[in-house]
Amino acid sequence: MHSIDNIHTGVIGLGYVGLPLAVEFGKKIKTLGFDINQHRIEELCNGTDRTLETDSEELASAKQLSFTSNLDDMRDCNFFIVTVPTPIDEHKQPDLTPLIKASTSLGKVISKNSIVVFESTVYPGATEEVCVPIIEKESGLTFNEDFYVGYSPERINPGDKEHRLPTIKKVTSGSTPEIAKFVDEVYASIITAGTFLASSIKVAEAAKVIENTQRDVNIALINELALIFNRMDIDTIEVLEAAGTKWNFLPFRPGLVGGHCIGVDPYYLTHKAQTIGYNPEMILSGRRINDGMGLYVAECVVKQMTRNKIHVVDSKILILGFTFKENCPDVRNTRVIDIVEEFDSYHANIDVYDPWVDPDEAKHEYGITPITELKSDTYDAIIVAVSHKEFLAMGVNTIRALGKKQHILFDVKHVFPKQDVDARL
């Protein structure tokens, strides 16, 4: 019989999702956090979290939490939580490589009666169809006899200091009714907002993938409306504010859709749908619209420059913000890169400034080296791509001063009033 008093938690993957989990469990239960990145482990042991999801005080408060990059150290654990990333490849197909590697590693250290809970976003069925057979093969153990699995989708919102792990309701599930109840009990011990026990692992997997698919489709609708209204010389935000006076109008806004969730998760669902013979038209249409918004922003700026007789070739372009969202250092799947690449095709000279970005990560992931100082009277066009608090604090006059006497200021995120910018999305 499984008991919370007897579990030793092992969290595999210590990124934006895994570390907050490890910290919360480490406050109450003996917990070991594992990551293949030794440098990450060293930073955490020294009380530093580069994702900024936790601080040194929170790390120190998790008295029963320790860290390792040595897989063999996980052998003492009996309740594993997998939080590795599940990205898409260049063809926009699910890349399960991190999940497969994690399952392979688990199979080498798992012991009898252990429970493995997956939190990584997947398509419905992936946990039992992909992960379980790998663990069985590597361990020699039998599923639902010698070991069990669960699925509890992550709901971390990077950079959000209000909606944090304990205050976000947690969906749980398990491979047998008894295990499902136990998994739910374990999570309930750290989630103050409560839990929701799904009827099956597939239901929990599907719930996760549609959460962000729903947002993606809704944002795509607003983005398409922006494309239409801009051609009609109607300000989209003014239209949305007017429509928003109705009580049941949904308050979505146009913009770039990136990150590790909204811009990725729908492709997991569409992939699975296509394998069973269904072509998901609305979801893929929404994805095409949202993936094209960076190009559209660049085109709008180029048109504004041309109208003002500013040559695009060899021009100086400043892009303010590079992360996928405001006030966080996360650059995963940032669609700001689409703006950069489009201007690069015009042979413009592009500077990217973002006080939240780790320069080494931007260089490694995108070949971008952000500038560290801003110079006045320098740029032909300035694009406010991310609404970091620092840019709001600078104010429009300070940002305008970075431009040449004649320049274009384009506001992607509606940071400033309409009358203070040359154009906005």
Side-chain angles (χ1 to χ4, degrees):
M1 190 70 178
H2 292 90
S3 168
I4 289 184
D5 295 334
N6 297 326
I7 68 170
H8 182 179
T9 307
V11 179
I12 298 176
L14 297 174
Y16 287 85
V17 176
L19 183 61
L21 265 173
V23 168
E24 292 304 321
F25 276 116
K27 293 176 182 177
K28 298 185 176 184
I29 299 170
K30 188 176 182 182
T31 303
L32 181 62
F34 170 84
D35 200 286
I36 58 174
N37 186 336
Q38 176 60 30
H39 182 59
R40 172 75 166 153
I41 296 299
E42 291 171 357
E43 286 182 335
L44 292 174
C45 288
N46 290 326
T48 301
D49 171 25
R50 64 171 57 203
T51 70
L52 305 182
E53 290 302 304
T54 62
D55 55 32
S56 57
E57 289 184 7
E58 283 184 293
L59 287 171
S61 69
K63 301 296 185 183
Q64 299 187 65
L65 173 62
S66 56
F67 301 106
T68 186
S69 59
N70 184 353
L71 183 63
D72 283 339
D73 292 342
M74 304 292 286
R75 293 184 184 279
D76 291 334
C77 299
N78 54 18
F79 190 93
F80 298 90
I81 303 175
V82 180
T83 65
V84 296
T86 44
I88 52 175
D89 62 22
E90 58 184 317
H91 305 295
K92 302 190 186 302
Q93 294 296 306
D95 179 5
L96 297 178
T97 302
L99 199 60
I100 290 170
K101 287 183 176 179
S103 298
T104 302
S105 297
L106 267 172
K108 298 179 186 304
V109 297
I110 194 172
S111 55
K112 195 169 182 178
N113 292 323
S114 290
I115 298 172
V116 182
V117 180
F118 292 89
E119 292 216 0
S120 307
T121 301
V122 292
Y123 53 78
T127 299
E128 291 155 295
E129 295 165 10
V130 177
C131 303
V132 166
I134 293 172
I135 297 173
E136 282 189 311
K137 179 183 177 182
E138 294 293 331
S139 66
L141 300 175
T142 302
F143 176 49
N144 277 345
E145 290 184 14
D146 301 320
F147 75 97
Y148 307 87
V149 301
Y151 184 80
S152 181
E154 61 89 2
R155 283 177 165 171
I156 294 294
N157 188 26
D160 190 336
K161 299 306 179 186
E162 179 183 355
H163 301 99
R164 310 199 67 195
L165 176 66
T167 62
I168 303 172
K169 195 158 191 171
K170 200 88 165 72
V171 174
T172 64
S173 64
S175 54
T176 71
E178 294 76 20
I179 292 301
K181 289 179 181 178
F182 180 69
V183 169
D184 189 71
E185 182 185 352
V186 171
Y187 276 102
S189 70
I190 65 165
I191 306 296
T192 57
T195 58
F196 179 92
L197 179 55
S199 61
S200 70
I201 287 175
K202 284 185 179 180
V203 167
E205 291 169 326
K208 167 57 180 174
V209 82
I210 71 163
E211 287 175 16
N212 289 314
T213 300
Q214 183 187 65
R215 286 184 56 78
D216 192 44
V217 170
N218 276 284
I219 296 170
L221 171 61
I222 302 302
N223 276 336
E224 187 164 57
L225 292 175
L227 299 179
I228 295 169
F229 292 144
N230 287 352
R231 284 165 172 77
M232 300 172 68
D233 198 28
I234 300 173
D235 188 84
T236 304
I237 296 302
E238 291 180 358
V239 174
L240 294 174
E241 288 174 346
T245 59
K246 188 179 181 185
W247 72 92
N248 59 354
F249 188 82
L250 301 177
F252 289 95
R253 290 290 185 266
L256 305 176
V257 183
H260 68 296
C261 286
I262 299 180
V264 173
D265 293 358
Y267 288 119
Y268 276 77
L269 184 56
T270 58
H271 165 79
K272 184 63 176 181
Q274 289 166 336
T275 65
I276 59 174
Y278 180 79
N279 184 42
E281 297 180 29
M282 178 180 285
I283 299 171
L284 287 175
S285 176
R287 281 280 73 239
R288 285 191 293 272
I289 291 170
N290 287 342
D291 278 348
M293 293 308 291
L295 174 62
Y296 178 72
V297 167
E299 289 176 347
C300 287
V301 176
V302 168
K303 286 180 180 178
Q304 288 285 333
M305 293 174 70
T306 303
R307 288 172 187 158
N308 287 271
K309 298 180 180 180
I310 301 172
H311 292 292
V312 180
V313 177
D314 291 329
S315 62
K316 287 281 289 182
I317 309 293
L318 174 64
I319 298 178
L320 294 175
F322 191 70
T323 59
F324 91 88
K325 64 178 292 188
E326 67 278 0
N327 305 326
C328 84
D330 197 346
V331 297
R332 288 176 296 175
N333 193 36
T334 176
R335 298 314 341 142
V336 179
I337 189 64
D338 298 337
I339 304 175
V340 175
E341 291 175 347
E342 183 63 14
F343 273 106
D344 189 56
S345 73
Y346 281 95
H347 301 287
N349 300 295
I350 307 124
D351 282 346
V352 173
Y353 176 79
D354 193 320
W356 288 83
V357 166
D358 180 336
D360 293 335
E361 186 177 4
K363 179 68 174 176
H364 178 265
E365 295 296 330
Y366 299 99
I368 299 291
T369 303
I371 61 172
T372 56
E373 293 183 5
L374 294 169
K375 296 182 180 179
S376 300
D377 194 29
T378 300
Y379 298 100
D380 297 291
I382 303 167
I383 302 171
V384 183
V386 186
S387 55
H388 289 317
K389 59 185 180 182
E390 288 83 354
F391 303 151
L392 276 74
M394 287 172 67
V396 71
N397 292 331
T398 300
I399 291 176
R400 283 279 195 189
L402 302 172
K404 296 176 182 177
K405 184 175 182 181
Q406 188 171 5
H407 68 273
I408 299 300
L409 176 58
F410 191 95
D411 188 357
V412 175
K413 296 294 292 183
H414 319 106
V415 175
F416 303 112
K418 174 186 174 182
Q419 64 270 20
D420 291 343
V421 300
D422 295 300
R424 61 184 187 176
L425 192 58

